[in-house]
Amino acid sequence: MRTISGVLAVSLVGTMGLIAVPAQADPKPPVIPSQSTVDAAKKAAATKAAQVSAIEQQLASAGARLEQLGVQAAKAGEVYNGAMYRLQQAQAEAKAAGDRADRAEKTLAAQRQQIGRFAAASYQGGGDLAKLGPLFTADGAQELLDSAGAARSVSQAMQGSYLRYTASQVVTNAFKLQKDQAVTKVQAATDEAAKAKEAAEAAEAEQRSAVASIGVQRRQQIAQLAVLRHTSVQVATQRQRGLEELARQRAAALAAKKAEELRRRIAAREAAEARAAREEAAREARQEAARRAREERNNDKQEHKKRPKKHKPGKHGGGNDGGSGHNSRGARAAIDFALAQLGEPYIWAAAGPSSWDCSGLTMGAWKKAGVQLPHYSVAQYEQIKHISEDDLRPGDLIFWAEDSDDPGTIFHVAMYLGGGRMIHAPRPGRPVTTDSIYYWEAPDFFGRP
């Protein structure tokens, strides 16, 4: 029994030992990417980031390209306006030259007829025998002498008429030459206008085509951004619009800052002018008071009746009229007309009534104020008073040029509204609108109609 009990005890102990120590599985080895896998992942991430950056740059470049094409189209339109302006001048010169040539030809024809009459009269007077006839008449020698004097008078008159005819012929030939040259100039100007029109149409077509094609590219690129960023196209579009709006706001803030600086400069200039005017008025008042005091002292010393005092008018009139020959009322009329066109489309070479280009709008606005300007920005600047930026007043014109030292390269014009803002017809795709005068490039020239 003891033996059996011992065996059972050993067996139980062994069994309990087996239950208390369960079997352990082999651990799984950790996943350790190879260095090449890590490098490949980094490269893929870098590639994706580079693609995102590249697409964002392409979108920004597309927007800048559209703006550039719009400006080029507007410039081409203004070149056409210049060609038409020169054609109109050439046509006016040709007409004037033609009129001078026609008048000279009529004068020459009349003098030719006069010489012909003198020649006929001389022939009808007969030969030498006919001239001796009076000797055999009652009056005799006296009639012969009278006839000889008349012949000399006719001869002298005929000679003077011939000299005038010769001079007129020279003048007529010169006028005919001028007429021919003017006609040639008209033809050259016509050809120039035709080429400018063709270039403007091509520039507008290129801009219109670019708007369509870049629009397609933009949608495709935003879709690619959405895939690369694992976002929806809607979110990607919103992000792109937000970035563009942020850039626009920053540019607008910078333009507003510059406009505020200009406003302060103009205000300082106007305050200085007002202060100088007050000082001048005070000085004149003191001089007038001193003059009157002297006059009263002199009158007190006299026993006869005082003579009426003469008023010495001041040098300054009733205030600043705001322009070179045109008052602020005229500028207000021009501004009101321009503001009434807000939202109307830009069309090159248009001058109303419901579409405009840059110089067409300023021409139409100042025409409302009674000022005639040509439909060409270069010629508008040539025909108005030139001022500085700090002298700007509402209604003045602002110009942009290819070369800031050469007004002959002007290609855009706008009207100043005050406070650093302007109204203009910018380019194809942008209607008549108001902007800061610094929303784009800084303007180059300034003038007052």
Side-chain angles (χ1 to χ4, degrees), residues 311-360:
H311 175 68
K312 180 181 178 183
K315 296 180 181 178
H316 297 286
N320 199 331
D321 66 1
S324 56
H326 299 284
N327 57 27
S328 58
R329 188 182 307 168
R332 186 69 259 172
I335 291 172
D336 289 344
F337 180 90
L339 290 174
Q341 319 310 314
L342 280 171
E344 293 185 352
Y346 175 101
I347 296 180
W348 65 271
S354 57
S355 58
W356 310 87
D357 66 6
C358 66
S359 56

Side-chain angles (χ1 to χ4, degrees), residues 224-295:
Q224 291 176 28
L225 282 175
V227 172
L228 291 169
R229 291 181 175 137
H230 301 293
T231 61
S232 70
V233 173
Q234 182 180 4
V235 173
T237 301
Q238 290 175 346
R239 172 180 167 76
Q240 182 60 32
R241 288 177 179 170
L243 291 173
E244 291 173 356
E245 174 62 17
L246 181 61
R248 188 197 67 76
Q249 290 177 0
R250 288 173 177 169
L254 180 60
K257 182 179 178 181
K258 292 181 178 179
E260 177 60 19
E261 291 172 355
L262 174 64
R263 187 195 66 77
R264 290 175 180 172
R265 292 201 307 272
I266 292 176
R269 189 258 307 160
E270 290 176 345
E273 289 178 352
R275 186 166 56 253
R278 289 194 300 270
E279 292 174 353
E280 176 67 11
R283 185 183 65 82
E284 291 183 353
R286 289 194 299 271
Q287 291 177 344
E288 177 67 9
R291 184 191 66 78
R292 288 182 179 181
R294 287 194 302 272
E295 187 176 84

